[in-house]
Amino acid sequence: MCGIIGYIGPKDNLELGMNSLKRLEYRGYDSAGMAIIEEGKISSERVAGKVNELREKLKERDSEGTPCLFHSRWATHGKPTKENAHPQFDCKREVAVVHNGIIENHKELKEMLEKEGHEFSSETDTETIAHLVEKFQGEGSSLEDAVRKTMELIRGAYGIAVISTKDPEKIVAARMSSPVIVSSNKEGGFVASDPAAIVEHSSKMIFLEDGELAVIKRGGVEVTDMAKRKKEKEEVRIDWDIKEAQKSGYPHFMIKEIMEQPETIENTLRGRIIKEDGDVKLGGLEQVREELKGVEKLTLLACGTSYYASMIGKFLIEEIAGIPTEVDLASEFRYRKRPYGRREAFAFISQSGETADTLKALEEVNNKGALSLGIVNVVGSSISRYTDAGIYNHAGPEIGVASTKAFTSQLAVLTLFSVFLGRQRNLSLNEGREILEKLESLPSKVREVLEKKDEIKEVAKKYGEYENFLFMGRRYNFPTALEGALKLKEISYIHAEGYSAAEMKHGAIALIDESFPAFAIALSDSMREKMVSNIEEIRARSGPVIILGTEGDEGIKEYGEDSILIPEVTEPLSPLLSVVPLQLFAYYVAVSKGFDPDKPRNLSKVVTVE
Ligand code: F6R
């Protein structure tokens, strides 16, 4: 959701802060702001607009001071106005706070503070924090103690960074259910809500746990808990190349990340395939290897795109490993009364590793004492830390708000995981070897699909003016259809539905007419004939159809107004390939309509609120 940055040190603070903030813009972009302690006073700049507007404003300034805070906002409480932008301040502007999350009891606290004479100037929940820190500093507390006392009163989710003119040589950061990363080196001390913001300056980072508080000074970082006990924290090394967090000549992160997929799948597979054994080596699962042998049921939990990857994961695990597998939306899971079996394991699939709904489901599973696994892209993120074991995607930072390369890397991980579990059970050496060989050949096939990008662009241009869209597929490509629809709606704002093609006749077909086109995934696989029948039903009602078929199947083209053919691929792995034209289609529709696909309205890359 919101992006937070703090910096204390000798570098050009405005330049450093703005560059870091730009890397976090994908987390929220309805307003932005900064505050800095200069000559004993807090000065600030806030805009109701994007980070670039803040950058323009700051061009007129020459600030040498630190510490400083920067923020890009995704509104939760209060409209995206200048007054509601962060940093938020106390009455005397001696305290500045940036916050990611929601303070659930802010109304009661505001009433209490107003009775004590505090005056509020915004509609945000965050401002409460600034006034509480002011109150406790006024009673004689140091900045860190004032923040600790504030933490005792506030309820909800927060990652915060606080500065104060009364204690100007430090930044205090704290975490409860929202990510906070701190780091320090000879260039200074940093706080951020995401490693991507500061990886340029420091590759070693400390991830705060819930209830922890960090004091960041020029010389280092000290982490304590609520009882003021010093915590020895391990530094996590983030091996991202800074180029991965830049557009590298592409107009948008989304297209860069779509085009990167052959390499990201290769990175996901690297060093993990043992071809001679038809097996897979997953270092992160070593400690639970024996326990996994006895697992009789798996449940995959995730949200959004990661949930669609999990749906495909269910098919893969059941088919390859023969383990009954359930999939659930993490947000719904914890609200149902679910009996737990003795030999069950749960896998949490998340690009960011910080999605609040997924984290809450993990908390539920951990409380029940069941085995929890993570399939996560961001190294060191909360889900990777709170699960018993796990597998990293190694897809590099995904900055585009619409998930693309993370999805295909999740599918690659889920295939590896299925083979790993299968080889512990009845999957033969030859069967394992065959799947892995096919998996290894996928990056070059994805490259071939990407070469068709201009063809897909032309198709996209024709369909940008429609208001509704249907995506349909069967079996492995039913979730791909759901993902295609999600991509289109989130970046081009066209209403799109994903359907199992078979389900159409049970209701949704009533919508079809010449103004309601369908994208049909009709590959040369076990579902081709059934797909053709379902496509015919659409055409009989004058619905325009775009076919996604298999190269060599020229006959499929006659069922659509337009068609895109992709290389032949085995059915269980086909979503890794078939999703790519759908990503490109959504991207080019959005661009042809003049939208910025990296900043879709109302969305944030990392959803840290429930
Ligand atoms: C859609 C998208 C979201 C995320 C969802 C879960 O393009 O990116 O639907 O997939 O918010 O996020 P993670 O995977 O970070 O848990």
Side-chain angles (χ1 to χ4, degrees):
M1 310 248 90
C2 304
I4 66 174
I5 314 271
Y7 171 66
I8 181 161
K11 285 206 136 192
D12 179 348
N13 52 59
L14 295 187
E15 189 59 23
L16 181 146
M18 287 314 300
N19 289 344
S20 302
L21 196 59
K22 197 68 198 147
R23 291 195 217 301
L24 283 195
E25 199 183 11
Y26 67 92
R27 293 180 72 103
Y29 30 77
D30 54 37
S31 46
M34 57 74 67
I36 190 163
I37 299 184
E38 281 176 316
E39 293 164 7
K41 289 204 175 91
I42 287 183
S43 67
S44 67
E45 204 68 73
R46 295 183 294 178
V47 296
K50 295 196 172 153
V51 167
N52 275 345
E53 288 168 48
L54 180 65
R55 192 187 275 277
E56 281 307 307
K57 285 250 170 195
L58 292 180
K59 274 189 185 154
E60 297 146 27
R61 295 177 69 118
D62 181 22
S63 295
E64 287 300 323
T66 63
C68 51
L69 302 177
F70 293 79
H71 190 265
S72 85
R73 180 168 185 247
W74 186 87
T76 57
H77 289 75
K79 292 212 159 50
T81 59
K82 186 172 164 180
E83 292 67 36
N84 290 336
H86 298 202
Q88 286 290 317
F89 306 101
D90 64 323
C91 303
K92 298 184 231 112
R93 282 180 71 93
E94 288 174 350
V95 176
V97 180
V98 287
H99 168 215
N100 170 31
I102 292 178
I103 304 303
E104 286 163 3
N105 59 338
H106 73 106
K107 282 211 177 92
E108 296 104 274
L109 292 170
K110 184 174 175 183
E111 268 173 37
M112 175 195 91
L113 288 159
E114 277 177 337
K115 278 191 195 131
E116 291 179 13
H118 288 261
E119 283 175 20
F120 282 71
S121 54
S122 80
E123 302 162 297
T124 64
D125 51 340
T126 305
E127 194 182 345
T128 324
I129 300 174
H131 289 280
L132 284 171
V133 172
E134 174 188 20
K135 169 183 159 72
F136 294 125
Q137 277 197 301
E139 290 166 8
S141 295
S142 64
L143 180 57
E144 54 270 37
D145 285 344
V147 172
R148 215 183 317 266
K149 286 180 182 165
T150 300
M151 288 167 78
E152 280 165 12
L153 292 183
I154 55 180
R155 262 198 336 267
Y158 51 86
I160 51 173
V162 189
I163 54 174
S164 163
T165 55
K166 286 195 170 152
D167 220 343
E169 293 302 322
K170 60 178 77 145
I171 302 172
V172 174
R175 167 190 164 124
M176 185 62 70
S177 303
S178 281
V180 177
I181 293 129
V182 295
S183 177
S184 89
N185 59 20
K186 60 179 183 328
E187 291 184 3
F190 305 87
V191 188
S193 46
D194 191 316
I198 53 174
V199 71
E200 183 178 358
H201 306 286
S202 176
S203 59
K204 286 194 189 152
M205 305 188 190
I206 293 170
F207 288 73
L208 294 192
E209 305 286 338
D210 284 351
E212 284 182 347
L213 177 145
V215 177
I216 302 107
K217 295 185 177 166
R218 281 166 193 257
V221 173
E222 186 175 273
V223 180
T224 48
D225 63 12
M226 292 295 282
K228 291 195 185 185
R229 280 184 298 248
K230 191 165 182 292
K231 302 288 291 276
E232 290 310 325
K233 301 287 291 182
E234 195 193 332
E235 284 186 318
V236 177
R237 196 177 171 81
I238 305 285
D239 284 324
W240 287 347
D241 181 346
I242 185 62
K243 282 202 213 81
E244 291 183 287
Q246 289 168 346
K247 284 190 202 151
S248 311
Y250 286 99
H252 300 105
F253 281 111
M254 183 175 175
I255 187 71
K256 174 184 176 246
E257 289 163 4
I258 292 174
M259 299 305 287
E260 266 171 12
Q261 289 178 107
E263 290 79 45
T264 50
I265 300 170
E266 276 162 4
N267 290 343
T268 302
L269 304 184
R270 183 160 300 120
R272 288 171 159 174
I273 292 179
I274 319 166
K275 222 180 299 152
E276 60 282 13
D277 296 342
D279 208 345
V280 166
K281 183 174 179 296
L282 295 167
L285 296 188
E286 269 316 306
Q287 75 215 68
V288 294
R289 176 182 266 279
E290 290 309 309
E291 209 175 329
L292 282 171
K293 281 186 184 160
V295 164
E296 288 170 1
K297 182 177 174 188
L298 262 164
T299 298
L300 309 180
L301 294 163
C303 299
T305 290
S306 300
Y307 172 69
Y308 298 146
S310 307
M311 287 175 78
I312 297 167
K314 167 189 160 72
F315 298 152
L316 288 166
I317 295 167
E318 290 190 336
E319 187 164 332
I320 299 174
I323 305 174
T325 303
E326 213 184 277
V327 196
D328 209 348
L329 286 168
S331 49
E332 292 299 321
F333 172 79
R334 59 195 290 248
Y335 296 104
R336 75 188 166 96
K337 204 163 172 214
R338 179 187 187 281
Y340 282 72
R342 275 187 51 237
R343 289 170 171 264
E344 275 199 66
F346 294 79
F348 297 81
I349 292 112
S350 173
Q351 188 286 125
S352 61
E354 300 292 353
T355 300
D357 290 319
T358 314
L359 267 167
K360 289 290 174 192
L362 171 58
E363 204 176 289
E364 177 75 19
V365 165
N366 282 346
N367 286 341
K368 293 280 183 322
L371 177 64
S372 60
L373 310 172
I375 295 179
V376 171
N377 190 35
V378 177
V379 174
S381 56
S382 301
I383 293 175
S384 74
R385 284 178 292 126
Y386 300 150
T387 39
D388 296 317
I391 314 168
Y392 280 122
N393 293 28
H394 298 313
E398 188 180 68
I399 312 277
V401 170
S403 187
T404 54
K405 65 174 182 173
F407 179 75
T408 44
S409 77
Q410 284 165 345
L411 296 183
V413 169
L414 285 161
T415 312
L416 292 173
F417 184 43
S418 306
V419 173
F420 176 90
L421 294 170
R423 292 293 285 131
Q424 290 189 326
R425 292 167 176 75
N426 292 330
L427 190 75
S428 72
L429 186 147
N430 278 344
E431 286 168 325
R433 197 179 278 167
E434 199 184 322
I435 298 163
L436 295 172
E437 271 167 11
K438 288 184 173 147
L439 188 58
E440 274 190 318
S441 72
L442 264 163
S444 67
K445 293 191 178 190
V446 173
R447 260 181 212 110
E448 286 177 50
V449 177
L450 292 171
E451 277 163 21
K452 295 183 181 242
K453 73 179 194 338
D454 291 336
E455 192 188 313
I456 297 166
K457 186 176 180 177
E458 286 313 306
V459 177
K461 273 192 202 155
K462 279 174 67 178
Y463 289 88
E465 295 312 314
Y466 285 92
E467 285 174 5
N468 297 293
F469 232 99
L470 179 76
F471 286 76
M472 56 184 203
R474 298 289 303 268
R475 211 174 162 213
Y476 279 94
N477 281 302
F478 162 43
T480 320
L482 294 170
E483 173 61 3
L486 179 62
K487 287 290 88 89
L488 189 66
K489 63 188 148 197
E490 68 183 327
I491 59 170
S492 71
Y493 320 131
I494 293 174
H495 164 239
E497 299 210 28
Y499 253 85
S500 154
E503 273 296 297
M504 291 296 299
K505 56 186 176 294
H506 298 293
I509 202 159
L511 293 168
I512 298 296
D513 62 15
E514 62 286 348
S515 67
F516 206 130
F519 211 125
I521 309 171
L523 304 180
S524 301
D525 59 21
S526 69
M527 301 316 285
R528 183 190 184 278
E529 296 318 315
K530 293 273 184 274
M531 276 303 298
V532 166
S533 307
N534 300 139
I535 293 167
E536 293 281 34
E537 288 154 14
I538 303 276
R539 285 166 62 87
R541 283 146 189 97
S542 307
V545 176
I546 307 172
I547 300 278
L548 183 66
T550 303
E551 280 169 7
D553 181 7
E554 293 300 311
I556 197 75
K557 289 186 180 170
E558 72 184 67
Y559 297 102
E561 272 62 37
D562 290 282
S563 56
I564 300 158
L565 301 188
I566 59 172
E568 195 175 355
V569 56
T570 179
E571 195 164 347
L573 301 186
S574 62
L576 273 146
L577 216 55
S578 56
V579 75
V580 177
L582 307 188
Q583 296 167 340
L584 287 166
F585 180 77
Y587 173 78
Y588 287 122
V589 169
V591 171
S592 74
K593 290 170 81 75
F595 299 130
D596 180 348
D598 283 347
K599 298 188 187 69
R601 70 185 180 210
N602 307 338
L603 293 180
S604 166
K605 180 74 185 158
V606 191
V607 187
T608 51
V609 291
E610 281 181 78

